[in-house]
């Protein structure tokens, strides 16, 4: 069998992606960039779950099941979020999130 | 760590590498792609009582595909001003890579398969879902109205037909109980070709894959007479070849997948080697799909989308119910 | 020396993630995000989660990237970067969070998770499907309801736009 990477390597990649995601989430003003960051955070979490479930002793399959659910939910949330962004951009031209502070109008 | 030079030599001379580069990999895909170009034009011509390509070689114009490639290579490369160069060039190249990746998953003969993944069928279909993205990018990057509308239409069409494609292949999975393509072929070795219990599924698969490949009668996004070649309109000489190539490679890949799923792949009496059986079945399917092109009129886009989302989806679910009863047995109601 | 495949995949993933956020044009950002997802699928394949990897390719790259590209093309280019102080603070926040989590992770993961090379039941495809249907059947049904709700919600949003 192939020798697997230690857990620290996968965990490091996951944490780096999480850091990039948080940086994007707090820094960017464009709503679409924030959506990118949210997707990156989702992916980091998924990688983490699968790495921990696989490199456990003994490996369990529940990690993969959980990730199947989270991938579906993340895709669904992204589509609804994109629909909202598209609508907002039609009502007022700017999608700068610091100006979108009201719920109506 | 090994000496890099000896490691490289070890990789290059291994059979795996030869499999990828020569057969059934890149070189054979390129040659067969050019061959299928000629084959389609000749077949369509003969069906429509024309002659078709004739002058490229002594044997009925069989080298027409290669002649086209040489001609297109000498044409001038004009990229429209304001077009996004990166995506304009990268989209057809990536589509070629995807086509080659599709063919890497299919078992050509008992030993010859580039990637024997245990999730072969979902991997094939998942790579197919990458093509709407590329068509959208290609249509958008030309910075012109006709290509963008064509790209959007192609996106709608290919996305609409992905679900019936997955669902009609699902019937096969339910009966064989395995997701890997070698496993499906081995099931058919023991239990007969799957086209008999899954006749409806086979018909659905051929129809949805023709729609997914954007061939006639479903080729509105690239229709010459209506939208000026759609998303391919702005592609000059050599890039046009890069755009037409993936169409034929996808045809080859889908026909190969159909023959693997429903016609038993490389199975057949041992008089003829398995690889010949595989190609015979694939060419039969390719001829069938090409005959669709020469005989059916074009379907309008809204009819297409409506049929895709309603009729084909319903029939795929009916197919799944039929597969359920085949697996479980009718008294299980 | 660590595994070359893992190193290559990890580098591609992280590099395209940074590119996705920092690219000037949003379409390039969306394409870079697609490459990030592809790298993630490769990492899943390395972890013997082959079905999850194909699911990731089909759902994320096949659907989410298409949706994002669609929205980017219809919304149009939007600019805007915050002033420098805010950026420095956010970078510091991200670094701090990553450092915290990294320390916690490496403290726990060194010995508690040795990682057997041979996976057995934990990566078996049939085991996965049996667990999914038997143990997690009810959440699966709820997931389909949630997806249906999302579709209805998105359709309502589209209709509301057309009326008003």
């Amino acid at each position: 069998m192939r020798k697997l990477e230690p857990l620290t390597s996968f965990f490091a990649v996951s944490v780096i992606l999480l850091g990039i995601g948080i940086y994007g989430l707090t820094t960017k003003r464009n709503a679409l960039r924030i959506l990118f960051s949210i997707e990156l955070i989702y992916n980091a979490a998924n990688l983490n779950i699968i790495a921990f479930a696989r490199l456990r002793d003994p490996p369990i399959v529940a990690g993969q099941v959980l990730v199947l659910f989270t991938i579906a939910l993340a895709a669904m949330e992204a589509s609804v979020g994109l629909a909202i962004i598209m609508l907002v951009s039609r009502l007022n031209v700017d999608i700068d999130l610091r100006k979108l502070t009201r719920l109506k109008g | 760590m090994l000496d890099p030079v000896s490691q490289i030599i070890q990789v290059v001379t291994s059979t795996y590498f030869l499999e990828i580069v020569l057969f059934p990999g890149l070189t054979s895909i390129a040659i067969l792609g050019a061959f299928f170009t000629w084959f389609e034009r000749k077949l369509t011509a003969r069906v429509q009582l024309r002659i078709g390509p004739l002058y490229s070689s002594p044997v009925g114009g069989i080298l027409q595909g290669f002649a086209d490639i040489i001609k297109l290579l000498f044409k001038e490369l004009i990229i429209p001003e304001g077009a996004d160069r990166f995506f304009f060039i990268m989209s057809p190249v990536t589509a070629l890579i995807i086509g080659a990746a599709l063919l890497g998953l299919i078992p050509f003969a008992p030993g010859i398969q580039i990637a024997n993944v245990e999730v072969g069928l979902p991997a094939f279909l998942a790579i197919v879902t990458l093509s709407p993205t590329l068509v959208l990018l290609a249509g958008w990057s030309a910075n012109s109205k006709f290509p963008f509308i064509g790209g959007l239409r192609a996106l709608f069409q290919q996305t609409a037909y992905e679900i019936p494609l997955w669902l009609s292949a699902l019937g096969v999975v339910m009966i064989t109980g395995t997701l890997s393509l070698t496993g499906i072929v081995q099931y058919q070795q023991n239990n007969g070709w799957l086209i008999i219990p899954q006749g409806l599924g086979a018909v659905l698969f051929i129809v949805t894959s023709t729609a997914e490949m954007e061939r006639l009668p479903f080729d509105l996004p690239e229709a010459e007479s209506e939208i000026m070649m759609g998303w391919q309109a702005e592609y000059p000489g050599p890039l046009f070849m890069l755009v037409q190539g993936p169409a034929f490679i996808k045809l080859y890949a889908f026909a190969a997948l159909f023959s693997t799923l429903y016609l038993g792949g490389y199975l057949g009496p041992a008089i003829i080697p398995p690889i010949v059986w595989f190609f015979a079945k694939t060419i039969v399917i390719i001829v069938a799909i090409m005959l669709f092109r020469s005989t059916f009129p074009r379907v309008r886009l809204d009819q297409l989308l409506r049929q895709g989302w309603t009729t084909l989806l319903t029939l795929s679910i009916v197919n799944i119910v039929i597969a359920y009863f085949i697996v479980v047995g009718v008294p299980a109601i | 020396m660590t595994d070359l495949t893992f190193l290559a995949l990890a580098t591609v993933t992280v590099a395209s993630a940074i590119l996705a956020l920092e690219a000037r044009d949003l379409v390039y950002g969306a394409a870079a995000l697609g490459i990030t997802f592809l790298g993630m699928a490769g990492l899943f394949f390395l972890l013997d989660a082959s079905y999850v990897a194909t699911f990731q390719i089909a759902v994320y790259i096949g659907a989410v990237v298409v949706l994002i590209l669609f929205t980017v093309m219809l919304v149009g280019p939007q600019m805007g970067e915050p002033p420098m102080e805010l950026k420095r603070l956010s970078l510091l926040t991200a670094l701090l969070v990553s450092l915290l989590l990294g320390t916690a992770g490496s403290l726990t993961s060194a010995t508690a998770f040795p990682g057997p090379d041979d996976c057995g039941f934990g990566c078996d495809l049939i085991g996965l499907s049996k667990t999914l249907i038997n143990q997690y059947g009810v959440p699966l049904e709820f997931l389909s309801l949630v997806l249906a709700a999302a579709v209805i919600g998105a359709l309502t949003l589209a209709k509301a736009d057309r009326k008003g």
Side-chain angles (χ1 to χ4, degrees):
Chain A
M1 283 300 289
R2 189 189 60 235
K3 178 84 184 74
L4 268 181
E5 281 290 297
L7 180 61
T8 1
S9 317
F10 286 105
F11 188 71
V13 174
S14 162
V15 164
I16 292 176
L17 280 176
L18 182 69
I20 296 176
I22 293 180
Y23 163 72
L25 196 58
T26 51
T27 307
K28 305 293 176 180
R29 289 199 320 197
N30 196 336
L32 280 163
R33 299 257 187 218
I34 293 184
L35 200 93
F36 291 178
S37 323
I38 294 178
E39 293 301 324
L40 284 177
I41 297 178
Y42 269 120
N43 272 285
N46 287 340
L47 179 64
N48 210 16
I49 294 174
I50 291 204
F52 269 91
R54 166 70 178 88
L55 291 167
R56 189 175 173 276
D57 186 21
I60 54 174
V61 89
Q64 298 187 24
V65 172
L66 183 58
V67 168
L68 284 178
F69 278 99
T70 54
I71 290 179
L73 286 171
M76 174 209 78
E77 173 257 357
S79 62
V80 173
L82 285 168
I84 294 179
I85 290 180
M86 200 162 16
L87 275 185
V88 165
S89 81
R90 280 200 200 156
L91 294 177
N92 42 344
V93 189
D94 197 4
I95 55 173
D96 181 349
L97 270 172
R98 289 198 282 182
K99 299 205 182 99
L100 292 174
T101 52
R102 298 158 184 255
L103 252 169
K104 200 175 164 91
Chain B
M1 186 109 120
L2 283 180
D3 182 28
V5 176
S6 73
Q7 209 175 15
I8 292 178
I9 295 180
Q10 200 178 32
V11 164
V12 170
T13 53
S14 69
T15 51
Y16 195 57
F17 187 75
L18 284 176
E19 247 181 36
I20 294 181
V21 171
L22 283 183
F23 179 84
L26 306 171
T27 314
S28 77
I29 294 177
I31 296 179
L32 282 171
F35 175 70
F36 287 142
T37 319
W38 165 80
F39 191 56
E40 164 153 38
R41 289 165 66 173
K42 198 71 176 172
L43 186 71
T44 315
R46 287 292 176 182
V47 166
Q48 296 170 351
L49 294 181
R50 295 182 282 120
I51 300 183
L54 190 59
Y55 293 109
S56 303
S57 94
V59 191
I62 203 171
L63 293 178
Q64 180 67 37
F66 302 98
D68 276 339
I69 292 178
I70 299 176
K71 173 199 80 167
L72 286 171
L73 276 175
F74 281 114
K75 288 207 169 187
E76 187 182 348
L77 190 71
I78 309 175
I79 298 185
E81 184 183 336
D84 192 315
R85 281 170 175 254
F86 178 71
F87 284 123
F88 198 66
I89 300 181
M90 281 311 292
S91 311
V93 171
T94 315
L96 272 177
I97 296 176
I98 286 180
L102 287 177
L103 281 165
L105 287 166
I106 297 181
F108 284 76
I112 306 179
Q113 184 183 13
I114 294 181
N116 190 0
V117 197
E118 65 170 340
V119 283
L121 183 59
F124 189 99
L125 295 174
I127 298 178
V128 167
T129 62
L130 298 181
S131 53
T133 323
L134 293 172
V135 174
L136 179 65
L137 279 174
W140 170 83
S141 64
N143 200 23
S144 158
K145 290 189 184 47
F146 278 123
F148 189 51
I149 296 180
L152 285 179
R153 286 185 178 184
L155 172 71
F156 289 153
Q157 178 180 328
Q158 286 186 348
T159 313
Y161 280 82
E162 270 170 21
I163 300 182
L165 188 69
W166 282 80
L167 287 181
S168 53
L170 188 61
V172 171
V173 174
M174 285 173 71
I175 294 185
T176 55
T178 171
L179 285 176
S180 83
L181 291 171
T182 21
I184 293 178
V185 176
Q186 272 165 1
Y187 177 89
Q188 294 184 72
Q189 192 163 24
N190 304 331
N191 302 54
W193 291 2
L194 275 173
I195 197 170
I196 301 169
Q198 279 280 300
L200 177 63
V203 168
L204 279 175
F205 190 82
I206 253 196
V207 171
T208 47
S209 56
T210 314
E212 189 74 27
M213 285 187 280
E214 280 173 22
R215 298 186 60 85
L216 264 163
F218 304 117
D219 77 336
L220 198 72
E222 43 178 77
E224 254 184 61
S225 46
E226 299 204 48
I227 199 175
M228 226 181 65
M229 280 307 273
W231 61 273
Q232 299 173 3
E234 295 284 349
Y235 276 93
L239 288 181
F240 184 68
M241 175 182 68
L242 278 184
V243 162
Q244 292 288 358
F248 287 100
I249 296 178
K250 273 187 6 183
L251 172 64
Y252 179 25
F254 271 108
L257 184 68
F258 184 89
S259 68
T260 306
L261 288 182
Y262 295 101
L263 295 177
Y266 52 75
L267 297 174
I271 324 167
I272 309 179
I275 191 90
V276 177
W277 274 118
F278 177 80
F279 272 111
K281 294 175 194 174
T282 310
I283 289 185
V284 165
I285 302 300
I286 289 180
V287 166
I289 297 182
M290 285 182 182
L291 283 178
F292 289 168
R293 178 199 173 105
S294 27
T295 48
F296 286 121
R298 187 173 289 138
V299 180
R300 215 175 59 213
L301 191 71
D302 60 321
Q303 291 173 337
L304 193 105
L305 293 176
R306 188 171 305 136
Q307 293 305 315
W309 285 112
T310 56
T311 312
L312 285 179
L313 201 60
T314 322
L315 283 177
S316 327
I317 297 182
V318 167
N319 182 38
I320 292 179
V321 172
I322 294 178
Y324 170 75
F325 282 127
I326 291 177
V327 172
V328 174
V330 178
I333 300 176
Chain C
M1 210 40 196
T2 51
D3 189 13
L4 198 63
T5 322
F6 170 77
L7 216 57
L9 279 171
T11 318
V12 163
T13 311
V14 171
S16 2
I18 298 179
L19 200 62
L21 291 180
E22 294 299 332
R24 178 61 58 108
D25 194 355
L26 273 172
V27 180
Y28 284 94
L33 197 66
I35 299 190
T36 311
F37 294 152
L38 200 59
M40 291 291 299
L43 287 171
F44 288 163
F45 268 116
L46 273 187
L47 282 167
D48 292 320
S50 43
Y51 187 70
V52 177
T54 58
F55 203 62
Q56 160 105 357
I57 295 178
V59 169
Y60 263 122
I61 316 181
V64 173
V65 169
V66 171
L67 285 175
I68 292 179
L69 277 174
F70 206 64
T71 312
V72 165
M73 288 173 191
L74 291 181
V75 163
Q78 305 281 342
M79 283 301 147
E81 293 306 321
M84 207 46 201
E85 318 82 12
L86 187 59
K87 210 172 193 175
R88 212 167 285 151
L89 183 62
S90 310
L91 199 57
L92 202 61
T93 316
L95 277 174
L96 217 63
V97 168
S98 311
L99 230 73
L100 217 71
L101 289 173
T103 323
S106 44
L107 279 179
T108 56
S109 67
T111 48
F113 294 85
D117 287 340
D118 197 8
C119 200
F121 185 70
C123 319
D124 188 22
L125 195 61
I126 298 184
L128 171 67
S129 50
K130 278 193 182 153
T131 315
L132 187 62
I133 304 290
N134 293 338
Q135 271 185 278
Y136 299 100
V138 176
L140 199 60
E141 299 302 322
F142 273 114
L143 180 68
S144 61
L145 285 176
V146 170
L147 286 173
V151 167
I152 296 176
L155 282 174
T156 316
L157 281 176
K159 218 159 76 92
D161 172 54
R162 206 155 305 165
K163 245 194 272 183

